[in-house]
Amino acid sequence: MNNDHFDMDVVNNFFEHDYHDRGMVKWQGFYLSDHTAALNKQEAKDQKVYHPKSQQSLETITAILAETYQRHRAVSLQLNELDANGNQLPDIQTHVYGYHSDKIIIDDEKAVSIDDIRHVERIQTYLR
């Protein structure tokens, strides 16, 4: 007797009466771990608090920026900007690539007004 033969009526009866497709629930295990990791990462980022540093004088800011520009050193900038919740944004670690009028040019050719800088520090970190 050949065991490779099956009755199509039995198969159809199984799918019509016994099999219950769980829909997207069957994929939840694959999606959930990545989604949970992303949510945890975002929550940790949201809970990080950045405290405002002292407002430096325009003379101090421009002196540090000029020195780091001339010596090709990295700086850490804290801007006078807050996020949508009123929290201080994280510092920007960058090089000063140039200047134009009252603005400096930093990474990705972004121009930052010197008046928007709250605090600037020299850093020893090597940036790319």
Side-chain angles (χ1 to χ4, degrees):
M1 186 167 169
N2 188 353
N3 290 336
D4 292 336
H5 179 71
F6 59 89
D7 186 357
M8 199 60 175
D9 290 334
V10 173
V11 173
N12 288 332
N13 186 45
F14 170 76
F15 283 111
E16 289 174 9
H17 301 290
D18 298 324
Y19 178 73
H20 301 287
D21 186 8
R22 299 183 307 150
M24 288 302 294
V25 173
K26 63 187 168 198
W27 299 103
Q28 189 174 20
F30 296 108
Y31 172 74
L32 192 57
S33 65
D34 290 343
H35 184 66
T36 302
L39 287 174
N40 289 339
K41 184 176 180 180
Q42 182 63 40
E43 183 180 353
K45 183 180 176 185
D46 290 345
Q47 289 180 354
K48 184 137 178 131
V49 176
Y50 300 97
H51 299 286
K53 297 177 181 174
S54 62
Q55 176 67 55
Q56 292 175 320
S57 69
L58 183 60
E59 292 78 23
T60 301
I61 292 171
T62 55
I64 294 172
L65 291 174
E67 182 223 336
T68 55
Y69 172 69
Q70 290 172 351
R71 296 181 180 207
H72 306 285
R73 303 283 187 221
V75 292
S76 178
L77 303 173
Q78 186 177 70
L79 302 180
N80 283 317
E81 293 181 14
L82 304 176
D83 66 11
N85 297 323
N87 299 317
Q88 185 70 47
L89 293 173
D91 291 0
I92 301 170
Q93 295 186 348
T94 184
H95 284 96
V96 178
Y97 293 101
Y99 59 91
H100 178 67
S101 186
D102 64 340
K103 297 182 178 180
I104 60 169
I105 310 301
I106 61 171
D107 292 335
D108 298 326
E109 300 180 8
K110 179 181 177 185
V112 175
S113 175
I114 294 175
D115 292 334
D116 291 340
I117 299 173
R118 176 181 194 80
H119 193 94
V120 62
E121 297 175 357
R122 297 168 197 87
I123 57 174
Q124 300 301 319
T125 305
Y126 292 100
L127 304 173
R128 295 179 207 189

